[in-house]
């Protein structure tokens, strides 16, 4: 892993060392990602939660879970590779999500009727070395084949609250944290439309991978490889 990080750093420094005399293509993009396989282990454990509650003597138990996607913002710059339609550069971005909410409803004449809600919120900071190759379709349109490889830091916050009769501390929220840093990648083809001599607008799809968060005493293993859509504004700096 350290060798890969060193290679990414070397490539990044090489790009910026050659960028001083080149035309920079700056960009800002809005990303929307699906939940995909996020919280898959949590979802698969719902049946086990109900069985465990029944084994502990609760008369009835029901569990449900909802999972939401994410949104993100990213900015960066790309520089041309001489004599080609290819650009190389870097970006920095933030992704809020995905998230989940698990509700466990219990009922028992003695134990009461507690409702336990567990909320997970995940976020990422990403630094990418990016490449983009332009395939012209006409005077003002093109297909841009893009991709990226870099490093991401993911953070997960879990909040648990119990409401209703039978709770030891009704309304009290307990909070736990987990994080992981590792490789991230993506493939990002897009349709690019020239708006002015210096500005373009792109609409595309992404397929991305994020660092795995290992299983701990408080968190299930977490993997996320989503599809997404993005809207990108680019501006040339001469």
């Amino acid at each position: 892993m350290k060798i890969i990080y060193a290679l990414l750093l070397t490539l990044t420094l090489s790009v910026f060392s050659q960028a001083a005399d080149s035309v920079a293509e700056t960009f800002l993009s809005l990303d929307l990602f699906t939940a995909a396989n996020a919280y898959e282990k949590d979802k698969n454990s719902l049946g086990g939660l109900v069985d465990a509650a029944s084994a502990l003597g609760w008369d009835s138990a029901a569990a449900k879970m909802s999972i939401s996607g994410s949104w993100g913002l990213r900015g960066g710059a790309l520089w041309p590779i001489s004599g080609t339609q290819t650009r190389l550069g870097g970006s920095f971005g933030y992704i809020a999500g995905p998230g989940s909410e698990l509700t466990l409803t219990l009922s028992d004449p003695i134990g009461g009727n507690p409702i336990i809600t567990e909320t997970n919120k995940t976020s990422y900071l990403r630094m990418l070395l990016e490449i983009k190759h332009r395939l012209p379709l006409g005077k003002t349109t093109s297909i841009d084949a893009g991709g990226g490889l870099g490093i991401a830091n993911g953070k997960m916050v879990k909040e648990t609250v119990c409401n209703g009769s039978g709770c030891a501390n009704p309304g009290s929220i307990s909070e736990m944290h987990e994080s992981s840093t590792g490789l991230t990648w993506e493939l990002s083809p897009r349709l690019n439309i020239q708006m002015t001599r210096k500005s373009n607008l792109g609409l595309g799809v992404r397929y991305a991978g994020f660092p795995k968060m290992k299983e701990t005493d408080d968190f299930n293993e977490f993997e996320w490889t989503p599809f997404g859509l993005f809207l990108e504004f680019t501006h040339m700096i001469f």
Side-chain angles (χ1 to χ4, degrees):
M1 186 69 74
K2 290 182 179 179
I3 295 175
I4 296 176
Y5 288 167
L7 179 60
L8 285 171
L9 179 60
T10 301
L11 289 172
T12 302
L13 292 175
S14 176
V15 169
F16 285 103
S17 68
Q18 299 178 33
D21 300 323
S22 301
V23 177
E25 179 183 278
T26 60
F27 64 89
L28 180 66
S29 66
L30 170 65
D31 298 333
L32 298 174
F33 285 108
T34 63
N37 57 335
Y39 303 104
E40 195 170 80
K41 293 291 181 70
D42 297 65
K43 192 172 183 178
N44 291 339
S45 69
L46 292 182
L49 285 175
V50 172
D51 291 342
S54 298
L56 290 173
W58 291 94
D59 276 2
S60 67
K64 63 179 182 178
M65 185 176 187
S66 61
I67 302 174
S68 59
S70 69
W71 64 272
L73 289 174
R74 183 197 312 187
L78 301 170
W79 289 269
I81 297 176
S82 181
T84 72
Q85 290 286 337
T86 302
R87 291 179 176 272
L88 191 64
S91 67
F92 181 80
Y94 171 77
I95 297 174
S100 72
E101 183 175 282
L102 185 155
T103 303
L104 179 63
T105 304
L106 304 173
S107 179
D108 185 82
I110 299 176
N113 299 282
I115 300 175
I116 302 168
T117 303
E118 179 184 284
T119 304
N120 286 289
K121 298 177 182 179
T122 307
S123 62
Y124 289 90
L125 289 175
R126 292 206 298 170
M127 291 185 292
L128 288 172
L129 180 65
E130 296 200 34
I131 188 170
K132 182 167 68 174
H133 182 73
R134 181 153 294 170
L135 304 170
L137 296 178
K139 291 184 178 180
T140 60
T141 59
S142 65
I143 294 293
D144 291 352
L149 179 66
I151 301 170
N153 174 252
K155 295 183 178 180
M156 186 181 295
V157 179
K158 178 187 290 185
E159 294 182 349
T160 305
V161 60
C162 182
N163 289 298
S165 60
C167 296
N169 297 293
S172 178
I173 299 175
S174 66
E175 189 173 290
M176 291 177 285
H177 299 258
E178 185 59 56
S179 65
S180 178
T181 299
L183 288 178
T184 182
W185 55 266
E186 70 175 37
L187 300 174
S188 304
R190 77 208 74 186
L191 173 65
N192 190 64
I193 301 173
Q194 184 176 349
M195 307 298 290
T196 70
R197 189 172 69 91
K198 293 184 178 182
S199 301
N200 298 330
L201 189 65
L203 178 64
V205 296
R206 295 200 199 280
Y207 178 53
F210 294 83
K212 179 190 294 186
M213 296 189 189
K214 296 181 179 180
E215 182 175 354
T216 67
D217 292 339
D218 300 317
F219 292 86
N220 285 321
E221 181 182 271
F222 181 85
E223 291 186 85
W224 192 40
T225 49
F227 283 96
L229 298 174
F230 68 95
L231 183 66
E232 183 176 85
F233 174 77
T234 62
H235 184 73
M236 309 297 289
I237 299 179
F238 293 92

